[in-house]
Amino acid sequence: EPGRGVRTIVEMVVHTRLDCVIGSSALMRLSAQMAFHHATERWAFGRPLLQQPLMRHVLADLALESEAAMASWLRLARALDQQEADLARIATAISKYYVCKRAPR
């Protein structure tokens, strides 16, 4: 449609940002699962790493952050489905920044 070029590009950017949040969230979840598996198999000081208090705190932080990222993209997807344009446009940018920044850690 003539005259909808910029609006179409903005909509595409919102969807691309959501895709980035979903991918980074999946990476966070996979990393948390691998860390849990490693902690159950590895022993230190005569006990599995999973039984070490500090390791349990680290793994709990990983799990919490992973679940928060997943809840974030689920809410963003619902906002896009229900035509909540203002929320979707602003929240996807914020979520993409935060989740993509936290994923590699």
Side-chain angles (χ1 to χ4, degrees):
E1 289 179 34
R4 288 194 34 95
V6 173
R7 186 169 190 83
T8 302
I9 290 171
V10 169
E11 289 175 12
M12 290 171 44
V13 166
V14 168
H15 286 92
T16 302
R17 285 178 175 159
L18 177 62
D19 185 48
C20 290
V21 173
I22 293 170
S24 295
S25 174
L27 179 63
M28 290 170 76
R29 186 173 180 88
L30 176 65
S31 299
Q33 287 177 338
M34 291 176 75
F36 274 98
H37 177 72
H38 178 76
T40 57
E41 299 293 321
R42 179 86 189 256
W43 285 63
F45 305 110
R47 296 189 297 181
L49 277 180
L50 191 59
Q51 292 180 2
Q52 303 292 343
L54 187 57
M55 182 56 69
R56 293 183 82 145
H57 287 289
V58 169
L59 293 174
D61 285 344
L62 284 175
L64 183 64
E65 219 167 343
S66 170
E67 291 297 316
M70 186 173 67
S72 173
W73 74 256
L74 287 171
R75 178 60 181 102
L76 292 172
R78 187 173 79 187
L80 285 170
D81 285 346
Q82 295 180 351
Q83 305 299 323
E84 299 173 30
D86 292 336
L87 173 67
R89 188 172 58 241
I90 293 169
T92 49
I94 294 168
S95 295
K96 181 196 174 280
Y97 172 77
Y98 183 76
V99 172
C100 292
K101 190 170 183 80
R102 296 297 299 167
R105 294 180 179 217

